[in-house]
Amino acid sequence: MLDWVLEGGTVVDGTGAPAFEADVAIDGARIAAVGKVSARGKEEIDAKGLLVTPGFVDIHTHYDAQASWSERLISSSINGVTTALIGNCGVGFAPCRPERRDMLVKLMEGVEDLPEVVLTEGLPWSWESFPDYMNFLGSRRYDTDIAAMVTHAPLRVHVMGERAEAHAEATEAECLEMARLAAEGLAAGAVGISTSRALAHRTLDGRHIPTLGAPEPELEALARALRDHGHGWLQVISDFDDPAEEEFARLRRVAAVAGRPLTFSLLQRESKPTFWRWLLDRVEEANAAGVQMFGQVMGR
């Protein structure tokens, strides 16, 4: 006997194929059959007239703080999301020394418009390292599954202190330490590494995100940590104003070093109405050359 049989639902399987009516059988944690299922299930659901789909993964969220005090990842969960990815844009709360907490709070406040008072009152700060943060998340229950990335800004602040906030160039030793910490986070279960190179990412008092303009050797050190881990991806947000050709080429080289997919927020601007086409042309060229790059589109 199967565990579940969903009978007669409209299946949208995520491959791009047209919707079709079918039964879906589930045995343990695996889909056992899709089609006409004659076997009985311990639980049987009449799915006629309902959609049967894979889980919806929200790949760009900022529940890094909310996940520390709430079991509900609203608004993603009330819109059908079954897995939320946190740690985007290089902002997060681990690793973090006690004396650097205020900086990370102010950064999240400015970048993601989350009130400082809510963060200050809500964050329990029962971690310092990224593995500790992952263990903390793993000890809690949520209304969705949750996955996390290692975030570049906390790495930089943790290793470089005030020099990170001043956008100083990391030494070779500091790059290696950031890479070591990133690898530690990946080993603890992080699914990738994120960073921001966007001017808009700043604290409310105008200080830019510590990762803005991080030199290529620093990015490559993180990329090598991902390459050595063998799994995961790089998530980047950039203005592509360096100019655009140089910035895209830089990120393509970093992705090549990592040997892993790189995704970035796909831009459209009033001042450059066809810029997104230029970016997608560069993405096509990169993939044709064996470097996996993807434009991340925001649903509206």
Side-chain angles (χ1 to χ4, degrees):
M1 179 173 284
L2 298 161
D3 288 314
W4 296 75
V5 177
L6 313 179
E7 299 172 333
T10 301
V11 176
V12 180
D13 64 11
T15 66
F20 58 95
E21 187 173 300
D23 303 329
V24 176
I26 301 171
D27 190 22
R30 293 185 175 274
I31 295 173
V34 178
K36 183 62 180 175
V37 176
S38 57
R40 303 302 301 270
K42 296 174 185 175
E43 288 208 49
E44 298 175 348
I45 296 175
D46 181 4
K48 188 77 173 178
L50 303 176
L51 288 174
V52 181
T53 75
F56 290 172
V57 182
D58 192 339
I59 61 173
H60 197 120
T61 81
H62 291 279
Y63 295 121
D64 307 68
Q66 186 172 328
S68 74
W69 66 68
S70 176
E71 293 185 351
R72 304 196 66 192
L73 300 187
I74 295 172
S75 61
S76 290
S77 60
I78 62 173
N79 283 295
V81 168
T82 56
T83 301
L85 178 61
I86 66 174
N88 283 276
C89 299
V91 290
F93 299 106
C96 184
R97 306 181 198 278
E99 64 270 21
R100 299 296 177 191
R101 292 171 181 171
D102 185 59
M103 171 59 192
L104 297 187
V105 165
K106 289 185 180 298
L107 187 59
M108 185 68 80
E109 176 192 34
V111 171
E112 297 305 328
D113 197 24
L114 299 171
E116 179 185 7
V117 64
V118 175
L119 298 173
T120 301
E121 291 294 324
L123 283 164
W125 291 114
S126 54
W127 62 84
E128 183 168 323
S129 71
F130 194 91
D132 287 345
Y133 179 64
M134 290 293 285
N135 287 336
F136 172 79
L137 295 177
S139 70
R140 296 177 51 77
R141 295 177 61 86
Y142 302 104
D143 57 0
T144 75
D145 287 330
I146 193 169
M149 288 183 286
V150 178
T151 49
H152 190 186
L155 285 181
R156 212 167 199 267
V157 171
H158 189 77
V159 172
M160 298 174 63
E162 293 180 0
R163 293 178 56 251
E165 299 179 49
H167 301 97
E169 186 169 335
T171 65
E172 182 179 358
E174 288 169 336
C175 288
L176 289 174
E177 178 62 6
M178 280 186 262
R180 186 191 70 80
L181 291 169
E184 183 179 78
L186 293 166
V191 297
I193 302 170
S194 72
T195 190
S196 169
R197 305 173 63 78
L199 286 169
H201 283 171
R202 63 180 75 192
T203 62
L204 291 186
D205 60 5
R207 288 178 290 167
H208 291 292
I209 191 167
T211 58
L212 180 68
E216 193 167 334
E218 182 176 331
L219 299 177
E220 288 188 349
L222 298 177
R224 283 191 291 271
L226 196 59
R227 179 196 64 199
D228 294 343
H229 183 65
H231 298 280
W233 69 352
L234 288 162
Q235 185 268 331
V236 180
I237 182 164
S238 173
D239 298 318
F240 291 100
D241 277 342
D242 201 20
E245 293 85 354
E246 293 181 15
E247 175 69 350
F248 194 94
R250 179 183 297 110
L251 295 181
R252 176 171 162 171
R253 289 192 296 270
V254 170
V257 168
R260 300 298 308 159
L262 182 149
T263 176
F264 63 90
S265 297
L266 186 63
L267 303 177
Q268 169 149 329
R269 297 177 177 173
E270 292 183 12
S271 60
K272 297 180 179 179
T274 61
F275 186 48
W276 63 275
R277 294 184 184 275
W278 183 89
L279 286 169
L280 287 182
D281 286 343
R282 303 293 80 74
V283 164
E284 187 173 1
E285 291 169 2
N287 280 279
V291 180
Q292 296 183 75
M293 299 182 75
F294 301 91
Q296 189 177 116
V297 181
M298 290 176 279
R300 297 288 182 175

